[in-house]
Amino acid sequence: MTKKITQQILQHIPIFLLAVFLIAICLLIPHQFKIAANSTSWAWIGIGIAILLAIILGTWLLNKLYKLNKYYVLIAILLLTIVPRLIWIAWIPTEAVSDYYYYNVIASYVADHNSWSTLQDQGILYYAPYFTHILNFSNLLSVVYKIFGNAYLVGQLYNIVITGLTAILLYIVISKRLQRTVAIGATLIFMIWPAYFMYSTLLGTEPTFLLLFVASIYIYMKMEETGFNLFWILSMAAVLVLMNLIRPLAAVILIAFIITALLLQKKRWDTVKKFGLVFIIFLVFTLGQSTINKLVYQIPTANSIVGYNVFIGANEKTGGQWSKEDSDTFWKLYQNPKLTNSEVDKELLNKGIKRYQVMAKNGGLFKHMKNKLVHYSDEGYGYSWNIYSQAPIIWDYSKIILQVSNVFLYLMLVLNFGALILAVCLRKVPMIFLFALFQLGFILSGLLVEVQGRYHIALIIGSSILTAWFLNESWSLLKRKLSRKQEELG
């Protein structure tokens, strides 16, 4: 009995913490809403109702389509994800900028059979040997360019197709875990998420990361079903390692899997063996990444960018975001011939820790975290990166685009909070525990390092699932109450 109570308490702690963060974000993000001063609350309410009705109606229509033929819904999901994005890039052409510029340039040179050492000697790699995710994604992109054509547009099309595949895989995964209606609703929300819709048409790494993320959930479920199966264990390790090469968030996902398995699965020793092996493989590849990179690229690289991220994230003046001063500090260390990339990262990590120590001593840590949470939750990233990527045409539609993006986020936050409350009241916390744990892990890890609005893209998967689950459970409750009333009247 005591053991069962302890398990329930442990399951409810992440739910409570996530609920606190959702409330905090709802209270904080209005300070950074980029909307016109004459926008009224009625406009926001109207947009919110329209979005909610679109999600409900879309879910109902796709459910009807499924009943006609279960394969029709897969075709519909693929087309509804890809076609609107193709129309978007045709209507609003963009250029590769910032990191996306280096993805494109490096991939283009590699696709033309230039060696990595040549690119390094010519200065083309720039800061990529330190920010190794640039090398890794560019390497992947070069393969796409070799096959389909060496052009920026091909990179955009790659991300659009990857987003379509992610939508289909998300539907399949959630169908196995929860009800079909939840799977359809979650997939629809993912497909139409306004900020990510715009962002997924650019040359970012996030579409590939999200595909691997959803794939890892599928593999986790297979590991639940099959016990100690070496194929699925190695598959999980491989996907997590690949995910980490694109965006270093795989550790958050692995920890969520381990905690969920230990709390919810009965065969705990089996869980320890399975995920113990996954953890060891993941750790070996993570710690040996600089050596592996050197073998792949034949140039010295950093083992991680944790130091840089902590250093930037600890900047109290900017609220954990990039600054010219911090950039100059990085370049001074990076261009020091006496320091290796790993030593540069270590030095930046020490500087970042010292910043946090000073903040804690001066009592500014709480305010800093509050500012970081505001920046982390900024839903203007889709619009901003399109503008920054030389697409000024959307400036004319800025008011409505930003309104819809922000209302959509607010609606998701409120419905996610509702999902947590409903799960506790209905005693169905285990059904959503894994997805809530993902959300909590991403938020906590995000507050420790550099923050940007686009960094919360990882939250979209869990948020879509929680929202769809809440709507489905609410409808089921309403139907049961109406049915009971009819019985009483009858």
Side-chain angles (χ1 to χ4, degrees):
M1 187 70 177
T2 306
K3 186 178 179 181
K4 187 177 180 180
I5 293 172
T6 303
Q7 282 183 313
Q8 289 180 345
I9 291 172
L10 291 174
Q11 289 173 23
H12 283 72
I13 289 173
I15 301 297
F16 171 76
L17 292 175
L18 180 58
V20 170
F21 274 117
L22 292 177
I23 293 170
I25 294 170
C26 282
L27 294 174
L28 290 173
I29 59 177
H31 297 296
Q32 51 84 32
F33 274 2
K34 300 168 184 175
I35 58 174
N38 61 353
S39 295
T40 65
S41 57
W42 288 111
W44 288 86
I45 292 170
I47 293 171
I49 292 172
I51 292 169
L52 186 59
L53 290 176
I55 292 170
I56 294 170
L57 179 61
T59 302
W60 181 79
L61 289 172
L62 287 173
N63 245 325
K64 289 290 184 183
L65 193 61
Y66 177 90
K67 291 174 182 177
L68 289 175
N69 189 309
K70 65 180 181 180
Y71 295 109
Y72 287 173
V73 73
L74 294 175
I75 296 170
I77 288 170
L78 189 63
L79 292 177
L80 290 172
T81 307
I82 290 177
V83 173
R85 286 169 168 82
L86 292 177
I87 295 171
W88 180 268
I89 64 171
W91 176 45
I92 304 177
T94 58
E95 297 177 9
V97 296
S98 189
D99 282 356
Y100 316 141
Y101 171 79
Y102 291 107
Y103 299 149
N104 183 55
V105 168
I106 295 169
S108 181
Y109 275 113
V110 175
D112 285 338
H113 306 288
N114 290 284
S115 69
W116 293 98
S117 56
T118 299
L119 299 183
Q120 171 76 338
D121 293 340
Q122 295 298 317
I124 293 169
L125 296 183
Y126 202 34
Y127 48 62
Y130 180 83
F131 299 96
T132 52
H133 68 280
I134 297 177
L135 293 180
N136 298 327
F137 184 68
S138 299
N139 202 9
L140 170 64
L141 197 59
S142 71
V143 176
V144 177
Y145 283 0
K146 286 176 184 177
I147 298 172
F148 298 104
N150 195 341
Y152 168 65
L153 179 62
V154 172
Q156 288 182 285
L157 294 175
Y158 164 78
N159 269 354
I160 291 172
V161 171
I162 288 295
T163 303
L165 294 177
T166 303
I168 288 178
L169 185 57
L170 179 63
Y171 167 75
I172 293 170
V173 167
I174 304 307
S175 294
K176 292 180 178 292
R177 190 82 175 182
L178 301 168
Q179 299 97 321
R180 185 183 69 249
T181 305
V182 177
I184 290 174
T187 305
L188 181 66
I189 293 166
F190 168 75
M191 288 158 47
I192 66 173
W193 197 291
Y196 186 66
F197 176 94
M198 291 181 280
Y199 186 82
S200 63
T201 62
L202 303 175
L203 208 58
T205 60
E206 285 77 9
T208 301
F209 173 83
L210 290 185
L211 177 62
L212 292 171
F213 178 24
V214 178
S216 72
I217 300 173
Y218 177 82
I219 296 169
Y220 172 78
M221 293 191 301
K222 284 295 182 180
M223 290 175 69
E224 281 183 321
E225 297 170 6
T226 58
F228 192 88
N229 184 302
L230 197 58
F231 173 78
W232 292 115
I233 290 171
L234 293 177
S235 296
M236 175 64 83
V239 167
L240 290 172
V241 168
L242 290 173
M243 203 185 307
N244 221 44
L245 294 176
I246 301 298
R247 283 196 70 195
L249 283 173
V252 173
I253 296 165
L254 177 56
I255 291 169
F257 285 147
I258 293 172
I259 292 174
T260 303
L262 288 173
L263 286 179
L264 302 184
Q265 293 179 21
K266 294 179 180 179
K267 297 179 180 179
R268 287 189 177 80
W269 175 239
D270 190 49
T271 296
V272 171
K273 288 192 296 182
K274 288 187 296 186
F275 281 100
L277 185 54
V278 171
F279 178 78
I280 290 170
I281 296 171
F282 178 75
L283 187 64
V284 168
F285 273 87
T286 301
L287 294 177
Q289 197 57 59
S290 60
T291 303
I292 296 168
N293 285 344
K294 194 170 183 179
L295 291 172
V296 173
Y297 300 114
Q298 301 294 307
I299 57 173
T301 64
N303 193 44
S304 77
I305 57 171
V306 172
Y308 175 87
N309 281 326
V310 171
F311 175 63
I312 301 296
N315 190 325
E316 193 173 5
K317 294 178 182 178
T318 63
Q321 296 192 306
W322 181 90
S323 72
K324 177 66 167 58
E325 182 183 354
D326 286 350
S327 178
D328 291 342
T329 300
F330 164 74
W331 280 109
K332 185 177 180 180
L333 293 170
Y334 184 64
Q335 293 174 338
N336 187 340
K338 296 180 181 180
L339 297 176
T340 64
N341 286 322
S342 295
E343 288 171 338
V344 170
D345 195 66
K346 186 177 180 180
E347 182 66 23
L348 289 172
L349 179 61
N350 291 333
K351 289 178 179 294
I353 292 172
K354 286 180 181 177
R355 280 179 165 179
Y356 277 124
Q357 288 173 340
V358 171
M359 262 187 280
K361 186 178 179 181
N362 296 335
L365 194 56
F366 178 78
K367 183 180 178 182
H368 180 62
M369 289 301 169
K370 185 179 73 172
N371 292 334
K372 290 185 75 172
L373 193 61
V374 171
H375 294 314
Y376 182 73
S377 308
D378 183 2
E379 194 67 358
Y381 65 89
Y383 166 84
S384 299
W385 278 101
N386 270 265
I387 288 288
Y388 191 46
S389 298
Q390 309 303 316
I393 188 173
I394 70 169
W395 180 270
D396 298 331
Y397 307 92
S398 58
K399 180 181 176 181
I400 186 63
I401 288 174
L402 290 170
Q403 277 185 324
V404 171
S405 296
N406 285 318
V407 172
F408 196 95
L409 175 63
Y410 236 110
L411 183 62
M412 294 303 107
L413 291 171
V414 171
L415 296 180
N416 278 198
F417 181 77
L420 301 181
I421 300 300
L422 197 59
V424 173
C425 293
L426 298 178
R427 298 183 179 180
K428 291 185 176 181
V429 168
M431 293 183 70
I432 65 163
F433 182 77
L434 176 63
F435 309 114
L437 207 54
F438 285 145
Q439 303 302 84
L440 181 61
F442 288 137
I443 293 172
L444 288 174
S445 62
L447 292 180
L448 292 174
V449 294
E450 179 190 6
V451 290
Q452 286 190 38
R454 65 189 176 98
Y455 290 172
H456 77 249
I457 285 174
L459 293 167
I460 289 176
I461 299 297
S463 186
S464 300
I465 296 167
L466 291 174
T467 296
W469 183 85
F470 173 74
L471 292 174
N472 183 67
E473 288 294 322
S474 298
W475 175 241
S476 297
L477 277 174
L478 181 61
K479 283 197 299 183
R480 285 197 293 270
K481 285 187 176 181
L482 290 174
S483 178
R484 279 197 293 267
K485 282 188 177 181
Q486 285 179 349
E487 289 176 2
E488 290 171 2
L489 292 172

